[in-house]
Amino acid sequence: MKKWQCFFCGFTYDENLGLPAEGILPGTLWEDIPETWICPECGAAKQDFAMIEAS
């Protein structure tokens, strides 16, 4: 599983944890999140994230 970090605010999306409060279940891969998804912290676009860790 991988972690993805927002370039602007540093928010991290962890595929292991998902974002249940936003309807993204634990184990949801980054590529399975819609391209229209935005950072819940700052509103940045999905393309403004970079992979920071893979396990």
Short mmCIF file of all heavy atoms in Angstrom, two decimals:
data_model
loop_
_atom_site.label_atom_id
_atom_site.label_comp_id
_atom_site.label_asym_id
_atom_site.label_seq_id
_atom_site.Cartn_x
_atom_site.Cartn_y
_atom_site.Cartn_z
N MET A 1 0.85 -1.17 0.00
CA MET A 1 0.00 0.00 0.00
C MET A 1 0.90 1.24 0.00
O MET A 1 2.02 1.21 0.47
CB MET A 1 -0.94 0.01 1.20
CG MET A 1 -1.74 -1.26 1.41
SD MET A 1 -3.44 -1.50 0.86
CE MET A 1 -3.77 -0.67 -0.57
N LYS A 2 0.34 2.32 -0.50
CA LYS A 2 1.12 3.54 -0.68
C LYS A 2 0.52 4.71 0.11
O LYS A 2 -0.63 4.66 0.52
CB LYS A 2 1.17 3.92 -2.17
CG LYS A 2 1.79 2.84 -3.03
CD LYS A 2 1.65 3.20 -4.50
CE LYS A 2 2.17 2.05 -5.35
NZ LYS A 2 1.88 2.27 -6.77
N LYS A 3 1.33 5.74 0.27
CA LYS A 3 0.88 6.99 0.87
C LYS A 3 1.14 8.10 -0.13
O LYS A 3 2.15 8.10 -0.84
CB LYS A 3 1.63 7.28 2.17
CG LYS A 3 1.30 6.30 3.28
CD LYS A 3 2.03 6.65 4.55
CE LYS A 3 1.73 5.63 5.63
NZ LYS A 3 2.44 5.93 6.88
N TRP A 4 0.21 9.04 -0.19
CA TRP A 4 0.29 10.16 -1.13
C TRP A 4 0.15 11.46 -0.35
O TRP A 4 -0.71 11.59 0.52
CB TRP A 4 -0.84 10.04 -2.15
CG TRP A 4 -0.75 8.79 -2.96
CD1 TRP A 4 -1.16 7.54 -2.59
CD2 TRP A 4 -0.17 8.65 -4.24
NE1 TRP A 4 -0.88 6.64 -3.58
CE2 TRP A 4 -0.27 7.30 -4.62
CE3 TRP A 4 0.41 9.54 -5.13
CZ2 TRP A 4 0.19 6.82 -5.82
CZ3 TRP A 4 0.86 9.07 -6.35
CH2 TRP A 4 0.76 7.72 -6.68
N GLN A 5 1.01 12.44 -0.66
CA GLN A 5 1.01 13.70 0.10
C GLN A 5 0.72 14.89 -0.80
O GLN A 5 1.25 14.99 -1.92
CB GLN A 5 2.36 13.88 0.78
CG GLN A 5 2.39 15.07 1.72
CD GLN A 5 3.66 15.10 2.53
OE1 GLN A 5 4.75 14.97 1.99
NE2 GLN A 5 3.52 15.27 3.83
N CYS A 6 -0.10 15.80 -0.28
CA CYS A 6 -0.43 17.04 -0.98
C CYS A 6 0.79 17.96 -1.01
O CYS A 6 1.43 18.18 0.02
CB CYS A 6 -1.59 17.73 -0.28
SG CYS A 6 -2.08 19.30 -1.01
N PHE A 7 1.11 18.49 -2.19
CA PHE A 7 2.23 19.43 -2.34
C PHE A 7 2.01 20.71 -1.53
O PHE A 7 2.96 21.32 -1.07
CB PHE A 7 2.40 19.85 -3.81
CG PHE A 7 2.98 18.80 -4.70
CD1 PHE A 7 2.31 18.46 -5.86
CD2 PHE A 7 4.17 18.17 -4.42
CE1 PHE A 7 2.84 17.50 -6.72
CE2 PHE A 7 4.71 17.22 -5.25
CZ PHE A 7 4.03 16.88 -6.41
N PHE A 8 0.76 21.12 -1.39
CA PHE A 8 0.46 22.42 -0.81
C PHE A 8 0.36 22.43 0.71
O PHE A 8 0.95 23.27 1.36
CB PHE A 8 -0.81 23.00 -1.43
CG PHE A 8 -0.68 23.23 -2.90
CD1 PHE A 8 -1.31 22.40 -3.80
CD2 PHE A 8 0.11 24.25 -3.40
CE1 PHE A 8 -1.18 22.59 -5.18
CE2 PHE A 8 0.26 24.47 -4.76
CZ PHE A 8 -0.39 23.62 -5.65
N CYS A 9 -0.39 21.49 1.27
CA CYS A 9 -0.63 21.54 2.72
C CYS A 9 0.00 20.38 3.50
O CYS A 9 0.01 20.40 4.72
CB CYS A 9 -2.12 21.60 3.01
SG CYS A 9 -3.02 20.05 2.69
N GLY A 10 0.48 19.36 2.80
CA GLY A 10 1.11 18.24 3.48
C GLY A 10 0.15 17.15 3.92
O GLY A 10 0.57 16.16 4.52
N PHE A 11 -1.15 17.30 3.63
CA PHE A 11 -2.11 16.24 3.97
C PHE A 11 -1.67 14.94 3.31
O PHE A 11 -1.21 14.93 2.18
CB PHE A 11 -3.51 16.62 3.47
CG PHE A 11 -4.52 15.52 3.64
CD1 PHE A 11 -5.14 15.31 4.86
CD2 PHE A 11 -4.83 14.68 2.58
CE1 PHE A 11 -6.06 14.29 5.02
CE2 PHE A 11 -5.75 13.66 2.73
CZ PHE A 11 -6.36 13.46 3.95
N THR A 12 -1.79 13.83 4.05
CA THR A 12 -1.38 12.53 3.54
C THR A 12 -2.57 11.60 3.41
O THR A 12 -3.33 11.44 4.36
CB THR A 12 -0.32 11.90 4.45
OG1 THR A 12 0.80 12.76 4.55
CG2 THR A 12 0.13 10.55 3.93
N TYR A 13 -2.70 10.99 2.23
CA TYR A 13 -3.69 9.93 2.01
C TYR A 13 -2.96 8.60 2.11
O TYR A 13 -2.02 8.35 1.36
CB TYR A 13 -4.38 10.04 0.65
CG TYR A 13 -5.27 8.84 0.38
CD1 TYR A 13 -6.47 8.71 1.05
CD2 TYR A 13 -4.87 7.82 -0.47
CE1 TYR A 13 -7.27 7.59 0.86
CE2 TYR A 13 -5.66 6.70 -0.67
CZ TYR A 13 -6.86 6.60 0.01
OH TYR A 13 -7.65 5.48 -0.18
N ASP A 14 -3.40 7.76 3.03
CA ASP A 14 -2.82 6.44 3.25
C ASP A 14 -3.81 5.40 2.71
O ASP A 14 -4.94 5.31 3.19
CB ASP A 14 -2.58 6.24 4.74
CG ASP A 14 -1.89 4.94 5.09
OD1 ASP A 14 -2.01 3.95 4.34
OD2 ASP A 14 -1.24 4.90 6.14
N GLU A 15 -3.39 4.63 1.71
CA GLU A 15 -4.28 3.63 1.11
C GLU A 15 -4.75 2.61 2.14
O GLU A 15 -5.86 2.09 2.04
CB GLU A 15 -3.57 2.92 -0.05
CG GLU A 15 -3.32 3.82 -1.24
CD GLU A 15 -2.58 3.13 -2.37
OE1 GLU A 15 -1.96 2.06 -2.15
OE2 GLU A 15 -2.62 3.66 -3.50
N ASN A 16 -3.93 2.31 3.14
CA ASN A 16 -4.32 1.36 4.19
C ASN A 16 -5.51 1.88 4.99
O ASN A 16 -6.37 1.10 5.40
CB ASN A 16 -3.16 1.09 5.16
CG ASN A 16 -2.12 0.18 4.59
OD1 ASN A 16 -2.44 -0.87 4.05
ND2 ASN A 16 -0.87 0.59 4.69
N LEU A 17 -5.54 3.18 5.24
CA LEU A 17 -6.57 3.77 6.09
C LEU A 17 -7.78 4.28 5.33
O LEU A 17 -8.88 4.34 5.88
CB LEU A 17 -5.97 4.93 6.90
CG LEU A 17 -4.76 4.59 7.78
CD1 LEU A 17 -4.23 5.85 8.43
CD2 LEU A 17 -5.12 3.54 8.81
N GLY A 18 -7.57 4.69 4.06
CA GLY A 18 -8.66 5.31 3.31
C GLY A 18 -9.08 6.60 3.98
O GLY A 18 -8.37 7.17 4.81
N LEU A 19 -10.28 7.06 3.64
CA LEU A 19 -10.89 8.24 4.28
C LEU A 19 -12.36 7.94 4.50
O LEU A 19 -13.23 8.42 3.78
CB LEU A 19 -10.73 9.48 3.39
CG LEU A 19 -9.35 10.09 3.27
CD1 LEU A 19 -9.32 11.16 2.19
CD2 LEU A 19 -8.91 10.67 4.60
N PRO A 20 -12.66 7.09 5.50
CA PRO A 20 -14.05 6.68 5.72
C PRO A 20 -15.05 7.83 5.86
O PRO A 20 -16.17 7.74 5.38
CB PRO A 20 -13.98 5.85 7.01
CG PRO A 20 -12.57 5.36 7.05
CD PRO A 20 -11.74 6.46 6.42
N ALA A 21 -14.61 8.94 6.45
CA ALA A 21 -15.51 10.09 6.61
C ALA A 21 -15.92 10.68 5.26
O ALA A 21 -16.94 11.35 5.15
CB ALA A 21 -14.84 11.17 7.46
N GLU A 22 -15.12 10.41 4.21
CA GLU A 22 -15.42 10.90 2.87
C GLU A 22 -15.93 9.78 1.96
O GLU A 22 -16.01 9.95 0.75
CB GLU A 22 -14.17 11.54 2.27
CG GLU A 22 -13.72 12.74 3.07
CD GLU A 22 -12.98 13.75 2.23
OE1 GLU A 22 -12.93 13.63 1.01
OE2 GLU A 22 -12.46 14.68 2.84
N GLY A 23 -16.21 8.62 2.56
CA GLY A 23 -16.74 7.51 1.78
C GLY A 23 -15.68 6.69 1.05
O GLY A 23 -16.01 5.90 0.17
N ILE A 24 -14.41 6.88 1.41
CA ILE A 24 -13.32 6.12 0.79
C ILE A 24 -12.89 5.05 1.79
O ILE A 24 -12.29 5.36 2.83
CB ILE A 24 -12.15 7.03 0.39
CG1 ILE A 24 -12.63 8.11 -0.59
CG2 ILE A 24 -11.02 6.22 -0.23
CD1 ILE A 24 -11.61 9.18 -0.91
N LEU A 25 -13.20 3.81 1.48
CA LEU A 25 -12.94 2.70 2.40
C LEU A 25 -11.46 2.40 2.56
O LEU A 25 -10.68 2.61 1.62
CB LEU A 25 -13.67 1.45 1.91
CG LEU A 25 -15.19 1.54 1.84
CD1 LEU A 25 -15.75 0.27 1.21
CD2 LEU A 25 -15.78 1.76 3.22
N PRO A 26 -11.06 1.88 3.74
CA PRO A 26 -9.67 1.44 3.91
C PRO A 26 -9.31 0.43 2.82
O PRO A 26 -10.14 -0.41 2.43
CB PRO A 26 -9.68 0.77 5.29
CG PRO A 26 -10.79 1.47 6.02
CD PRO A 26 -11.84 1.72 4.96
N GLY A 27 -8.09 0.52 2.32
CA GLY A 27 -7.64 -0.36 1.26
C GLY A 27 -7.90 0.16 -0.14
O GLY A 27 -7.53 -0.47 -1.12
N THR A 28 -8.53 1.35 -0.25
CA THR A 28 -8.80 1.93 -1.57
C THR A 28 -7.51 2.47 -2.17
O THR A 28 -6.85 3.32 -1.58
CB THR A 28 -9.85 3.06 -1.48
OG1 THR A 28 -11.06 2.53 -0.94
CG2 THR A 28 -10.13 3.66 -2.85
N LEU A 29 -7.15 1.94 -3.33
CA LEU A 29 -5.94 2.38 -4.01
C LEU A 29 -6.11 3.79 -4.56
O LEU A 29 -7.21 4.21 -4.92
CB LEU A 29 -5.59 1.42 -5.15
CG LEU A 29 -5.34 -0.03 -4.76
CD1 LEU A 29 -5.09 -0.87 -5.99
CD2 LEU A 29 -4.18 -0.13 -3.78
N TRP A 30 -4.99 4.51 -4.64
CA TRP A 30 -5.00 5.88 -5.14
C TRP A 30 -5.63 5.97 -6.52
O TRP A 30 -6.43 6.85 -6.81
CB TRP A 30 -3.57 6.42 -5.16
CG TRP A 30 -3.45 7.84 -5.60
CD1 TRP A 30 -2.91 8.28 -6.77
CD2 TRP A 30 -3.85 9.00 -4.88
NE1 TRP A 30 -2.96 9.66 -6.82
CE2 TRP A 30 -3.53 10.12 -5.67
CE3 TRP A 30 -4.46 9.22 -3.65
CZ2 TRP A 30 -3.78 11.43 -5.26
CZ3 TRP A 30 -4.71 10.52 -3.25
CH2 TRP A 30 -4.38 11.60 -4.05
N GLU A 31 -5.29 5.01 -7.39
CA GLU A 31 -5.81 5.06 -8.76
C GLU A 31 -7.31 4.82 -8.82
O GLU A 31 -7.94 5.13 -9.83
CB GLU A 31 -5.06 4.09 -9.68
CG GLU A 31 -5.05 2.66 -9.23
CD GLU A 31 -3.81 2.26 -8.45
OE1 GLU A 31 -3.09 3.14 -7.93
OE2 GLU A 31 -3.56 1.06 -8.35
N ASP A 32 -7.90 4.30 -7.74
CA ASP A 32 -9.34 4.06 -7.71
C ASP A 32 -10.13 5.24 -7.17
O ASP A 32 -11.36 5.22 -7.17
CB ASP A 32 -9.64 2.81 -6.88
CG ASP A 32 -9.09 1.55 -7.54
OD1 ASP A 32 -8.97 1.53 -8.78
OD2 ASP A 32 -8.79 0.59 -6.81
N ILE A 33 -9.44 6.28 -6.72
CA ILE A 33 -10.11 7.50 -6.26
C ILE A 33 -10.40 8.35 -7.49
O ILE A 33 -9.54 8.53 -8.35
CB ILE A 33 -9.22 8.26 -5.25
CG1 ILE A 33 -9.04 7.41 -3.99
CG2 ILE A 33 -9.83 9.62 -4.92
CD1 ILE A 33 -8.10 8.01 -2.99
N PRO A 34 -11.62 8.89 -7.61
CA PRO A 34 -11.98 9.68 -8.80
C PRO A 34 -11.04 10.87 -9.02
O PRO A 34 -10.56 11.48 -8.06
CB PRO A 34 -13.40 10.17 -8.49
CG PRO A 34 -13.90 9.28 -7.41
CD PRO A 34 -12.71 8.80 -6.63
N GLU A 35 -10.81 11.20 -10.28
CA GLU A 35 -9.96 12.34 -10.64
C GLU A 35 -10.54 13.66 -10.14
O GLU A 35 -9.81 14.64 -10.01
CB GLU A 35 -9.73 12.39 -12.15
CG GLU A 35 -8.88 11.25 -12.68
CD GLU A 35 -7.49 11.17 -12.05
OE1 GLU A 35 -6.83 12.21 -11.89
OE2 GLU A 35 -7.06 10.05 -11.73
N THR A 36 -11.82 13.68 -9.84
CA THR A 36 -12.48 14.90 -9.36
C THR A 36 -12.31 15.10 -7.86
O THR A 36 -12.70 16.14 -7.33
CB THR A 36 -13.98 14.85 -9.69
OG1 THR A 36 -14.54 13.66 -9.13
CG2 THR A 36 -14.20 14.87 -11.20
N TRP A 37 -11.72 14.13 -7.18
CA TRP A 37 -11.50 14.22 -5.73
C TRP A 37 -10.56 15.38 -5.43
O TRP A 37 -9.65 15.68 -6.21
CB TRP A 37 -10.89 12.91 -5.23
CG TRP A 37 -10.63 12.87 -3.76
CD1 TRP A 37 -11.54 12.61 -2.77
CD2 TRP A 37 -9.39 13.10 -3.10
NE1 TRP A 37 -10.92 12.67 -1.54
CE2 TRP A 37 -9.60 12.97 -1.72
CE3 TRP A 37 -8.11 13.43 -3.55
CZ2 TRP A 37 -8.59 13.13 -0.78
CZ3 TRP A 37 -7.10 13.59 -2.61
CH2 TRP A 37 -7.34 13.44 -1.24
N ILE A 38 -10.79 16.07 -4.31
CA ILE A 38 -9.91 17.17 -3.90
C ILE A 38 -9.43 16.93 -2.47
O ILE A 38 -10.06 16.22 -1.69
CB ILE A 38 -10.60 18.54 -4.02
CG1 ILE A 38 -11.86 18.61 -3.16
CG2 ILE A 38 -10.91 18.89 -5.47
CD1 ILE A 38 -12.45 20.00 -3.01
N CYS A 39 -8.31 17.54 -2.14
CA CYS A 39 -7.73 17.44 -0.80
C CYS A 39 -8.73 17.96 0.23
O CYS A 39 -9.24 19.07 0.09
CB CYS A 39 -6.44 18.26 -0.74
SG CYS A 39 -5.68 18.28 0.90
N PRO A 40 -9.02 17.16 1.26
CA PRO A 40 -9.99 17.62 2.26
C PRO A 40 -9.47 18.76 3.15
O PRO A 40 -10.25 19.44 3.81
CB PRO A 40 -10.25 16.36 3.10
CG PRO A 40 -9.06 15.50 2.89
CD PRO A 40 -8.56 15.81 1.52
N GLU A 41 -8.16 18.99 3.12
CA GLU A 41 -7.59 20.06 3.94
C GLU A 41 -7.52 21.40 3.22
O GLU A 41 -7.81 22.43 3.81
CB GLU A 41 -6.19 19.66 4.41
CG GLU A 41 -6.17 18.44 5.33
CD GLU A 41 -6.78 18.72 6.69
OE1 GLU A 41 -6.57 19.83 7.24
OE2 GLU A 41 -7.47 17.83 7.20
N CYS A 42 -7.10 21.38 1.93
CA CYS A 42 -6.87 22.66 1.26
C CYS A 42 -7.57 22.79 -0.09
O CYS A 42 -7.51 23.85 -0.71
CB CYS A 42 -5.37 22.90 1.08
SG CYS A 42 -4.58 21.87 -0.17
N GLY A 43 -8.21 21.71 -0.57
CA GLY A 43 -8.93 21.79 -1.83
C GLY A 43 -8.07 21.58 -3.07
O GLY A 43 -8.54 21.79 -4.19
N ALA A 44 -6.82 21.16 -2.89
CA ALA A 44 -5.94 20.91 -4.04
C ALA A 44 -6.48 19.73 -4.85
O ALA A 44 -7.14 18.84 -4.33
CB ALA A 44 -4.52 20.62 -3.57
N ALA A 45 -6.15 19.71 -6.13
CA ALA A 45 -6.58 18.64 -7.03
C ALA A 45 -5.77 17.37 -6.78
O ALA A 45 -4.67 17.41 -6.23
CB ALA A 45 -6.40 19.09 -8.47
N LYS A 46 -6.33 16.25 -7.21
CA LYS A 46 -5.66 14.96 -7.04
C LYS A 46 -4.27 14.96 -7.68
O LYS A 46 -3.34 14.36 -7.13
CB LYS A 46 -6.54 13.84 -7.63
CG LYS A 46 -5.98 12.45 -7.39
CD LYS A 46 -6.90 11.39 -7.96
CE LYS A 46 -6.23 10.03 -7.89
NZ LYS A 46 -6.99 9.00 -8.58
N GLN A 47 -4.10 15.62 -8.81
CA GLN A 47 -2.79 15.65 -9.47
C GLN A 47 -1.74 16.44 -8.69
O GLN A 47 -0.57 16.43 -9.04
CB GLN A 47 -2.89 16.14 -10.92
CG GLN A 47 -3.35 17.56 -11.08
CD GLN A 47 -4.84 17.66 -11.39
OE1 GLN A 47 -5.60 16.75 -11.14
NE2 GLN A 47 -5.24 18.79 -11.94
N ASP A 48 -2.16 17.14 -7.62
CA ASP A 48 -1.23 17.88 -6.78
C ASP A 48 -0.68 17.05 -5.63
O ASP A 48 -0.14 17.58 -4.67
CB ASP A 48 -1.91 19.15 -6.24
CG ASP A 48 -2.25 20.13 -7.34
OD1 ASP A 48 -1.45 20.26 -8.29
OD2 ASP A 48 -3.31 20.77 -7.26
N PHE A 49 -0.81 15.73 -5.73
CA PHE A 49 -0.29 14.80 -4.73
C PHE A 49 0.86 14.01 -5.33
O PHE A 49 0.90 13.75 -6.54
CB PHE A 49 -1.38 13.82 -4.29
CG PHE A 49 -2.34 14.39 -3.28
CD1 PHE A 49 -3.25 15.37 -3.63
CD2 PHE A 49 -2.35 13.93 -1.97
CE1 PHE A 49 -4.16 15.87 -2.71
CE2 PHE A 49 -3.25 14.43 -1.03
CZ PHE A 49 -4.15 15.40 -1.42
N ALA A 50 1.80 13.61 -4.48
CA ALA A 50 2.92 12.77 -4.90
C ALA A 50 3.04 11.59 -3.94
O ALA A 50 2.79 11.74 -2.73
CB ALA A 50 4.22 13.55 -4.90
N MET A 51 3.45 10.43 -4.47
CA MET A 51 3.65 9.27 -3.62
C MET A 51 4.86 9.52 -2.72
O MET A 51 5.89 9.96 -3.18
CB MET A 51 3.88 8.02 -4.46
CG MET A 51 3.94 6.76 -3.60
SD MET A 51 4.13 5.24 -4.53
CE MET A 51 5.69 5.53 -5.35
N ILE A 52 4.69 9.21 -1.44
CA ILE A 52 5.79 9.43 -0.50
C ILE A 52 6.29 8.12 0.11
O ILE A 52 7.39 8.09 0.65
CB ILE A 52 5.41 10.42 0.62
CG1 ILE A 52 4.18 9.96 1.39
CG2 ILE A 52 5.23 11.81 0.05
CD1 ILE A 52 3.94 10.74 2.68
N GLU A 53 5.48 7.05 0.06
CA GLU A 53 5.91 5.81 0.71
C GLU A 53 5.14 4.65 0.12
O GLU A 53 3.97 4.74 -0.17
CB GLU A 53 5.64 5.91 2.21
CG GLU A 53 6.04 4.71 3.00
CD GLU A 53 5.75 4.89 4.49
OE1 GLU A 53 5.89 6.00 5.01
OE2 GLU A 53 5.36 3.90 5.10
N ALA A 54 5.83 3.54 -0.05
CA ALA A 54 5.20 2.30 -0.47
C ALA A 54 5.64 1.21 0.48
O ALA A 54 6.78 1.19 0.93
CB ALA A 54 5.60 1.96 -1.90
N SER A 55 4.71 0.33 0.81
CA SER A 55 5.07 -0.77 1.71
C SER A 55 4.55 -2.08 1.17
O SER A 55 3.74 -2.12 0.29
CB SER A 55 4.53 -0.50 3.10
OG SER A 55 3.13 -0.35 3.10
#
